[in-house]
């Protein structure tokens, strides 16, 4: 498994755990779904913890990668990263259009905020899943 694949697994796992907790609590009726301050107090620690886990994981993976020879980034790695970013962009664009064009006329403000956050998280998850499946299936662009 390449270094970039490992970092994508790490980021994907941390995001799934952190944001499934956040959105699960919001859907279960936590005040973060209706109050901006409750949203910040719930989202802030969850996002910070997720960021620290990813940062510690990257540091550990970097230290482990120094022990073995690591190939340089080649055209395949760049093509896979570009493909992930492209798919992520389309998901983010669709989510932004829904949140910015449709929801202001039909939904309360905190639902719009949480939906925008969900669109961002979904776009990032999509990008990492595309990168991982590209590495797993041997995509060469």
């Amino acid at each position: 498994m390449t270094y970039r694949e490992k970092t994508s697994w790490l980021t994907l796992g941390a995001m799934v755990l952190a944001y499934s907790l956040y959105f699960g609590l919001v859907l279960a009726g936590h005040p973060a779904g209706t109050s901006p301050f409750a949203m910040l107090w719930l989202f802030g620690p969850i996002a910070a913890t997720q960021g620290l886990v990813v940062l510690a994981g990257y540091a550990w993976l970097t230290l482990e990668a120094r022990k073995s020879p690591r190939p340089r980034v080649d055209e395949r790695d760049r093509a896979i990263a570009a493909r992930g970013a492209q798919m992520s962009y389309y998901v983010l664009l669709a989510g932004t259009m829904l949140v910015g064009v449709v929801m202001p006329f039909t939904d309360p403000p905190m639902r719009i905020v949480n939906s925008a956050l969900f669109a961002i998280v979904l776009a990032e998850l999509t990008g990492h899943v595309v990168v991982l499946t590209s590495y797993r299936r041997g995509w060469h662009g």
Side-chain angles (χ1 to χ4, degrees), residues 20 22 29 34 36 38 44 61 64 69 74 94 101 117 121 128 135 137 140:
S20 62
Y22 174 78
T34 56
L61 287 173
E64 288 295 315
D74 62 1
V101 176
L117 180 61
V121 169
H128 286 291
Y135 276 115
R137 293 186 180 167
H140 294 286

Side-chain angles (χ1 to χ4, degrees), residues 28-132:
H30 190 278
T34 56
S35 167
F37 295 113
M39 184 253 185
L40 290 175
W41 281 106
L42 179 64
F43 177 72
I46 289 174
T49 303
Q50 184 254 342
L52 290 174
V53 166
V54 169
L55 186 63
Y58 269 60
W60 182 73
L61 287 173
T62 301
L63 291 173
E64 288 295 315
R66 289 184 182 184
K67 295 177 183 176
S68 62
R70 185 169 57 167
R72 297 174 63 192
V73 178
D74 62 1
E75 292 82 20
R76 178 177 176 253
D77 292 324
R78 287 188 190 100
I80 288 173
R83 183 175 185 227
Q86 180 183 20
M87 295 299 173
S88 180
Y89 171 77
Y90 292 137
V91 172
L92 182 61
L93 182 65
T96 304
M97 288 172 44
L98 175 67
V99 169
V101 176
V102 177
M103 290 183 78
F105 300 108
T106 60
D107 292 302
M110 285 311 296
R111 184 171 291 174
I112 294 171
V113 170
N114 280 313
S115 298
L117 180 61
F118 182 73
I120 293 167
V121 169
L122 187 62
E124 276 299 306
L125 290 174
T126 301
H128 286 291
V129 167
V130 168
V131 166
L132 289 171

